[in-house]
Amino acid sequence: MDKRPDLIYSDYLSLSTVFKSKYMKIFMILDEQIKRNLKVEGIITRPVNSNGIWCCALLPAVLSIYALFYEVSLLYKIIACLSIGLLTYSILFMLFLSVSCVVLHDLGYGGCTASTMVSVLMVYYFLGQDLIFSLICSFPSLFLYNLLLRTCLVQHPKTFTVGEAMIVSQGIVLTIVTIGIKLFRDIGDQDEEMEFINTIVNTMLSTVGLIVTALYLLSDDQRNLQNLGKIFTVALAFAMMILHSIIGVGFLPKIIHYIFLNKNRAQIFAFWLSLVVIAILVLMSRTQLAIKANTVTRKSFHVLASLVFMSGIILDVNLIRLASGIGLALVILIEALRKSNIEPISSTLQAAFDVYSDEKDVGSFAMSPLYLFAGLAAPLALVPQRAAPLERLAGVLAIGVGDAAASWLGSNYGFYKWRVDNNRTLEGTAFNILSQIATVYALVLFEFLDARLWWFRATVSAIVSALVEAHTAQVDNLVLPLVALLALQATEPLCRLAPF
């Protein structure tokens, strides 16, 4: 006789508890020790039941696998080697932190030097670069990571878990090092179009960095619209000078021609603009009504953002690379203006934040929109040119489709929860998996996507990302795209061996 559903669910809970206690005990003990030491030191991480220490391996793993098994540029391989050094430091940092919080205050402890030597040896020995270049790349990256990680945890309470702080710090450091290598060393392994895109994106990010630094340095009596106008004027002059020196005298016509006149980009841009207008109108109407948005309403913005990225990845991947870089710079700028205390800009942005913020946005910054944008754009930066198009959709599928679908169905029709202390439901997870597979099927059916063994790869990726989404306490927008990429990487060897 078949078991009743509630008995099967009870058996699952028991099995899950046994699995966690048997195979995750070491990680749980380490996590508890870190949590206890941080509490004694008075350092408050984002209030969840786990520090997510496993997250430190996600970005280095993705970069290392692509560098080892795909045809990638020399710059990509250098960044992958540096990420191994960052991972080594992360592991040592967690081990030290599980013993004492002294590591948070000692900027020059031995673990940093040891991790730096790992990067130096990999760049020097495996990539054949000269020793001076290996040292110049490795030492600044490790010490900057050391500084950023400590800053995230100590100076920004309730904003990050330990794992989230590591991913964010790794991403910032590797981005800065990438820009630095491109500026000061001729790697010579990119085509002309990608050089053009990278120049614009790097200029935008550098300009926003200049604005954010200036806003940070303003005293309270200097925070007004007049000084803001001066800052923007200087930043605009800086951006134009950089673009003029790299692209040439006619940089503005070249940018306009590239975005609007090449191929069918005007139509794509018009579609994106319509989605942006819809999002702004919805945001303004809810802000004026001061109606707190629920989870499903917030996920509607995931869908709009995903439509932008999905259309760009399918129709013109280089254009979406350019747009995502500029968009990330704008998102950072908007958050900086919200925190700048310059009226009436800050209060207007704060009102919108109060309506759409969720329980994860309790720290110093509004990280959810930043994580959403970074999560959707991450595969564009991480996936090599020769990899399957399906892998560039990892972020869109994991958080734009699957996570949004799970949130909608789980909150409305979910009954069986994964755990007592978890609001994720089995029904939501099932719909997460099915929605991702259905989306890939629709893209293949209408010939927007051509991928070998797409059904197998999409199924594995959907299952893995959905299960992680159901169980992790870390921010979905940050970790799920990387998890989905790792799942897709794991299935790639089968595609190479398959005769069909």
Side-chain angles (χ1 to χ4, degrees), residues 441-475:
Y441 174 72
L443 293 175
V444 173
L445 181 65
F446 291 102
E447 299 182 351
F448 288 120
L449 183 66
D450 182 19
R452 300 185 68 188
L453 294 180
W454 65 266
W455 52 271
F456 173 72
R457 303 191 73 197
T459 301
V460 172
S461 175
I463 291 173
V464 171
S465 64
L467 290 176
V468 172
E469 187 273 337
H471 289 87
T472 185
Q474 311 309 299
V475 177

Side-chain angles (χ1 to χ4, degrees), residues 171-172 174-180 182-183 197-213 235 238-239 242-243 321-333 336 370 373-374 377 381:
I172 293 174
L174 295 177
T175 300
I176 292 174
V177 173
T178 300
I179 294 174
K182 288 178 179 177
L183 286 176
I197 292 172
N198 288 331
T199 298
I200 298 173
V201 171
N202 293 341
T203 301
M204 282 291 298
L205 291 173
S206 302
T207 303
V208 169
L210 180 66
I211 295 173
V212 172
T213 303
F238 169 79
I242 296 297
L243 292 173
R321 283 195 176 102
L322 174 61
S324 62
I326 296 174
L328 179 60
L330 292 176
V331 171
I332 295 172
L333 178 60
L370 288 169
F373 205 96

Side-chain angles (χ1 to χ4, degrees), residues 11-188:
D11 290 344
Y12 157 75
L13 291 177
S14 301
L15 182 61
S16 176
T17 303
V18 171
F19 178 83
K20 286 181 63 178
S21 62
K22 186 175 181 180
Y23 297 100
M24 303 297 291
K25 189 174 182 179
I26 297 176
F27 290 99
M28 293 174 68
I29 292 174
L30 184 63
D31 189 274
E32 285 298 323
Q33 290 176 331
I34 292 174
K35 190 184 302 182
R36 188 182 306 112
N37 289 338
L38 290 174
K39 185 177 180 179
V40 170
E41 189 69 13
I43 295 172
I44 306 173
T45 57
R46 192 169 64 83
V48 291
N49 59 8
S50 171
N51 278 305
I53 57 177
W54 55 275
C55 295
C56 68
L58 292 177
L59 187 55
V62 171
L63 288 167
S64 300
I65 291 172
Y66 278 132
L68 284 172
F69 300 107
Y70 288 75
E71 183 180 340
V72 297
S73 65
L74 175 60
L75 177 60
Y76 196 106
K77 293 177 181 178
I78 293 172
I79 298 302
C81 289
L82 295 179
S83 73
I84 297 298
L86 299 185
L87 174 60
T88 305
Y89 173 84
S90 301
I91 295 172
L92 293 175
F93 180 84
M94 289 185 296
L95 292 175
F96 279 107
L97 192 57
S98 66
V99 176
S100 170
C101 279
V102 174
V103 67
L104 288 171
H105 308 291
D106 184 4
L107 294 178
Y109 86 107
C112 191
T113 304
S115 305
T116 303
M117 296 313 299
V118 171
S119 296
V120 170
L121 290 174
M122 293 190 71
V123 175
Y124 174 73
Y125 182 76
F126 291 107
L127 300 184
Q129 301 299 299
D130 60 82
L131 183 59
I132 300 299
F133 176 74
S134 303
L135 291 170
I136 292 175
C137 287
S138 301
F139 270 94
S141 64
L142 265 296
F143 280 96
L144 179 58
Y145 179 62
N146 180 17
L147 178 62
L148 284 175
L149 183 56
R150 296 163 192 273
T151 301
C152 289
L153 294 175
V154 176
Q155 298 185 17
H156 300 289
K158 299 183 179 180
T159 306
F160 308 94
T161 64
V162 175
E164 291 164 2
M166 287 180 172
I167 294 180
V168 171
S169 300
Q170 287 171 356
I172 293 174
V173 169
L174 295 177
T175 300
I176 292 174
V177 173
T178 300
I179 294 174
I181 293 176
K182 288 178 179 177
L183 286 176
F184 298 107
R185 187 180 178 96
D186 183 17
I187 299 295

